[in-house]
Every structure is written in C-alpha cells, then in structure tokens.
C-alpha cells in the first residue's frame, strides 16, 4: 500500500487535532476541579451553620453559569453559538466544544469568587439570578474585548502603543473582574450581624482549618491547568508558564508566612494570591520576576485583608477582593513590568497598555456589578433577614445542617 504525501498530511493533521482536543480537555477538567477548591476554601472559612450553603452555592453557581454562558455569554464574547447539528459541532474532533468547556470553567470562576465575599448573609435565588446576569453579560463583555479583539480595543492598543493588553491566563479578565464585582456585592449586602460589638470589630474564626487547607491545595494544583493549558494547543505548551506559576506560588506562600505571622488562613491563601497575580504574565516573565510578583501579592493580601477586617465596614468573608481584585490588578501591571526585556522577560508588552487595560477591567466590573446587584437589591432583595442569618443559611435555605447534632 502506497502512502501519499496527502495521506501523511491528513494523518498528521488528525493526530494534531486529537492531541489539541485532549490537551484542552485535560485543562478543562483541572479547572473544573478547582471549583471544589473554591467550595472547600469557603466551607472551611465560614461558620458551621453556613457550610452546607457554601457547598451548594458553588455547585449551583456552576450550573447556572454553564447555561448563561452557553446561550448568551459565549456568543457575546466570541460570536459563536451552538445552534447547529451535532455532526457540524463535532468536526475537528470536537475541539471547539472542548474549548467552550474550558472557557466556561473560567467564566464560572466569577460567581465562585463572589460567593466567598458575600457568604453567610446572602439570599440564595437572588444570587443565582446575579450569577446568570454576570456570566451572560458582564464577564463576556470584557473577555471578548481582550481575548477576541471585540470593539477594536486590542487593535487600537497595538496601533497606538505597539502592543495589545496582555493577559495570558486571566489575572484581570477572570480574577480582577471577579474580585471587583465581589467588592460591589459585598458593599450592597453590608456587614454580617455581630461583626461590630461595642464599637469594636469582631472577627469570626474559620470553622475548619483542614477544609480550608484542602480547598487551597485543590486550587493550587488545578491552577497549573488554569495557566499552562491556557495555551489551548499542544504546540503552545510552555515550561516557562509552569515554572513561573510555581515561583509566584512560592513567593505568595513565603510572603503570607512572614506577613501573616504563621496564621494558617493567611498561609493557605498566600499561594493563591501569587497564582492570581502571575496569570497575566506567566508566559513572558523570568522566574525571578514571577517570584517577586508572588511576594508582593502575598504581602498585599495579608495587609489589605487585615485592614478591611479590623478598620472598615467592608465585610469580605474570604477576602476575595484583595485576593482576586487587587492581586489580579497587580498581576496585569506586573506583566508590563516583569515581561519587559529589560527585566529578562520576553518583551512585546507595554506597561502603559497594561495599566490602561487593567483599569478598564475594573471599570467594566464595577459598573456592571452596580447595575446587577443594585437592581436586585432594590427589587427582590439580596440579604437574609436578621433571624434567618442568626439561624444560618444551612437551615434557612436548605433545611439541613452540616452535622446531625447542630
């Protein structure tokens, strides 16, 4: 049997498509698993009477997010719909379908982030509605601008400044947007009852440090799928991304260890702060730049979260605004600093553009959240009653507690 050049080319093309599809599928599964990390991080942080609610919210949010993104969000971001026969959709080994799976796990991270900030006093179904609107409209609006060139924003950046806004794996697009949306939601919901006594702030201790640690570990491991698999193709795999993710994670751990004075909550959030910050420039930075990025992020999280809890009316239960909002914004800017050739990076990035793009992401997130959460607060309400909050969301919403003797 004679094998022609055309046959060989076709076989190679099929193998490449299959490999890319499998590569992205593994990434989607790893990022999907990260949602278990979000769940256990919240379960371990909230009080016992809200643990069931934390678990249910994350899973329910994912289901709502998938529907919102399938019918609206993915179309807004990429001008792609799935209203075709299965034979058409499955062409190219179904790569485009797996791409949707991968990207919907990113989109669903937005409400998972918000969930940690508004825990213990939010009504269930109004928050599900907020999740739908956020994933259908707010997140994909900015996602499409950055990752699909919508509205000519990236073309304008390149023409004006010689480089587009660089966010390889979503420091700003995912984490920054999610964190700033969470801040607005937290402000609309107000402080939990009992947080201020006799004019002094009272901090509620985490209910389960092992669960909190488990959540941090799941997120940290899954993050390598979040970052490395953002290449979306086998030929885009970069050991530099993996190494930079590792170094930023380590930087976050060490900074939180020192700044947090051995506090286990801070130490287990430290690696997450570093990983949030390195997403944007993980494919550009030198490992030393990634390490410094993580160090700054870890220290920033500890100091800002401590200040919020002790000095302000912002009751961000898991500290998702400093962890995702501020560290995400720092990551967008850090890509412009440590991605430059002057600091041993690969170059092709503009600090001016990184600052502008980061600020735009914040504006989109804040404006969108004001509209969504503001409208829901005025119409159907966002918060549990004082009695419901006292009983806890587990019994109030789900009619069951996390332990049989509660």
């Amino acid at each position: 049997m004679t094998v022609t050049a055309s046959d060989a080319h076709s076989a190679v093309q099929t193998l490449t498509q299959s490999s890319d599809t499998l590569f992205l599928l593994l990434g989607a599964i790893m990022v999907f698993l990260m949602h278990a990390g979000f769940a256990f991080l919240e379960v371990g942080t909230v009080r016992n009477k809200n643990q069931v609610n934390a678990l249910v919210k994350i899973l329910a949010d994912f289901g709502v997010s998938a529907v919102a993104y399938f019918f609206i969000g993915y179309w807004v971001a990429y001008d792609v719909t799935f209203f075709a026969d299965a034979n058409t959709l499955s062409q190219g080994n179904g790569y485009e379908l797996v791409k949707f799976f991968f990207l919907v796990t990113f989109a669903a991270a937005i409400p998972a982030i918000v969930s940690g900030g508004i825990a213990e006093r939010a009504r269930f179904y109004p928050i599900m509605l907020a999740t739908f609107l956020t994933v259908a409209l707010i997140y994909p609006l900015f996602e499409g601008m950055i990752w699909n060139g919508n509205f000519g924003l990236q073309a304008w950046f390149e023409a004006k400044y010689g480089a587009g806004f660089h966010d390889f794996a979503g420091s700003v697009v995912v984490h920054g947007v999610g964190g700033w949306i969470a801040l607005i939601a937290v402000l609309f919901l107000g402080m939990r009852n009992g947080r201020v006594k006799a004019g002094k702030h009272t901090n509620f201790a985490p209910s389960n440090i092992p669960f909190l640690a488990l959540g941090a570990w799941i997120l940290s491991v899954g993050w390598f799928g979040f970052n490395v698999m953002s290449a979306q193709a086998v030929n885009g795999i970069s050991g530099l991304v993996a190494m930079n993710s590792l170094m930023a994670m380590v930087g976050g751990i060490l900074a939180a260890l020192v700044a947090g004075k051995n506090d286990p909550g801070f130490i287990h959030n430290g690696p997450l702060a570093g990983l949030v910050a390195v997403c944007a420039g993980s494919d550009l930075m030198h490992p030393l730049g990634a390490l410094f990025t993580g160090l700054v992020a870890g220290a920033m999280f500890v100091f800002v979260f401590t200040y919020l809890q002790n000095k302000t009316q912002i009751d961000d239960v898991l500290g998702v605004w400093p962890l995702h909002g501020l560290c995400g914004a720092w990551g967008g800017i850090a890509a412009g600093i440590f991605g430059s050739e002057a600091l041993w990076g690969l170059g092709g990035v503009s600090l001016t553009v990184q600052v502008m793009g980061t600020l735009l992401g914040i504006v989109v997130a804040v404006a969108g959240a004001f509209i969504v959460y503001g409208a829901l607060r005025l119409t159907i309400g966002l918060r549990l009653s004082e009695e419901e909050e006292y009983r806890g969301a587990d019994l109030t919403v789900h009619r069951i507690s996390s332990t049989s003797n509660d």
Side-chain angles (χ1 to χ4, degrees):
M1 178 178 177
T2 302
V3 178
T4 66
S6 177
D7 292 335
H9 176 75
S10 178
V12 170
Q13 186 177 38
T14 299
L15 179 61
T16 299
Q17 288 177 340
S18 300
S19 299
D20 288 344
T21 302
L22 178 60
F23 173 77
L24 198 56
L25 177 60
L26 293 174
I29 293 169
M30 289 181 72
V31 182
F32 180 42
L33 181 60
M34 289 176 70
H35 288 264
F38 283 120
F40 279 101
L41 191 68
E42 185 172 336
V43 167
T45 305
V46 299
R47 289 168 288 178
N48 290 331
K49 61 184 179 180
N50 296 298
Q51 289 181 327
V52 172
N53 183 247
L55 290 170
V56 173
K57 272 194 306 176
I58 298 298
L59 191 57
D61 274 332
F62 191 91
V64 172
S65 296
V67 170
Y69 201 61
F70 182 88
F71 286 103
I72 304 173
Y74 200 64
W75 169 68
V76 170
Y78 300 102
D79 196 24
V80 173
T81 65
F82 299 99
F83 301 108
D85 61 87
N87 184 58
T88 301
L89 294 176
S90 62
Q91 290 180 359
N93 298 99
Y95 176 84
E96 292 300 323
L97 300 179
V98 173
K99 181 179 178 181
F100 168 82
F101 181 14
F102 183 67
L103 290 175
V104 77
T105 60
F106 280 54
I110 302 296
I113 291 167
V114 175
S115 176
I118 63 175
E120 300 201 301
R121 74 274 202 199
R123 294 177 61 201
F124 188 75
Y125 285 107
I127 296 304
M128 291 297 109
L129 180 54
T131 290
F132 185 91
L133 295 172
T134 298
V135 176
L137 300 170
I138 302 173
Y139 168 72
L141 176 65
F142 188 66
E143 177 192 18
M145 290 181 188
I146 304 306
W147 286 344
N148 197 48
N150 293 355
F151 305 109
L153 176 67
Q154 291 286 42
W156 182 79
F157 278 149
E158 290 172 7
K160 182 75 173 179
Y161 300 99
F165 179 70
H166 190 89
D167 192 353
F168 180 70
S171 284
V172 179
V173 174
V174 179
H175 299 286
V177 167
W180 285 89
I181 289 174
L183 174 63
I184 303 306
V186 166
L187 290 172
F188 275 128
L189 277 158
M191 297 184 75
R192 288 168 289 173
N193 291 321
R195 280 276 287 115
V196 177
K197 294 180 179 178
K200 294 183 178 181
H201 284 63
T202 300
N203 294 320
F204 301 130
S207 61
N208 193 309
I209 294 297
F211 275 162
L212 187 157
L214 175 63
W217 274 103
I218 293 172
L219 284 166
S220 296
V221 173
W223 222 294
F224 287 87
F226 196 98
N227 283 3
V228 175
M229 268 76 164
S230 284
Q232 299 187 21
V234 172
N235 65 4
I237 296 175
S238 171
L240 183 64
V241 175
M243 180 66 168
N244 284 340
S245 299
L246 176 67
M247 295 304 288
M249 181 185 73
V250 168
I253 293 170
L254 296 177
L257 174 64
V258 175
K261 301 177 182 179
N262 303 328
D263 182 283
F266 286 138
I267 293 170
H268 284 94
N269 276 282
L272 310 183
L275 286 163
V276 164
V278 82
C279 287
S282 57
D283 62 328
L284 296 179
M285 296 178 179
H286 186 279
L288 288 174
L291 176 63
F292 188 83
T293 298
L295 286 168
V296 172
M300 180 189 300
F301 170 73
V302 172
F303 291 131
V304 175
F305 182 70
T306 301
Y307 180 79
L308 291 181
Q309 292 297 98
N310 297 326
K311 301 294 183 181
T312 76
Q313 299 292 306
I314 300 174
D315 189 9
D316 184 346
V317 180
L318 269 67
V320 297
W321 176 60
L323 182 66
H324 297 274
L326 292 183
C327 290
W330 158 239
I333 296 169
I337 298 171
F338 297 108
S340 66
E341 293 182 18
L343 292 177
W344 296 357
L346 297 183
V349 64
S350 163
L351 178 57
T352 300
V353 171
Q354 293 304 116
V355 172
M356 293 173 67
T358 298
L359 291 175
L360 178 61
I362 293 171
V363 169
V364 170
V366 169
F370 257 108
I371 294 171
V372 169
Y373 286 93
L376 291 174
R377 185 189 185 197
L378 289 172
T379 53
I380 59 177
L382 293 170
R383 183 162 179 158
L384 296 173
S385 69
E386 186 173 346
E387 180 181 351
E388 289 171 335
E389 186 181 337
Y390 177 78
R391 293 180 65 215
D394 292 358
L395 292 175
T396 296
V397 179
H398 309 290
R399 305 294 189 269
I400 192 170
S401 66
S402 60
T403 56
S404 58
N405 58 354
D406 271 2

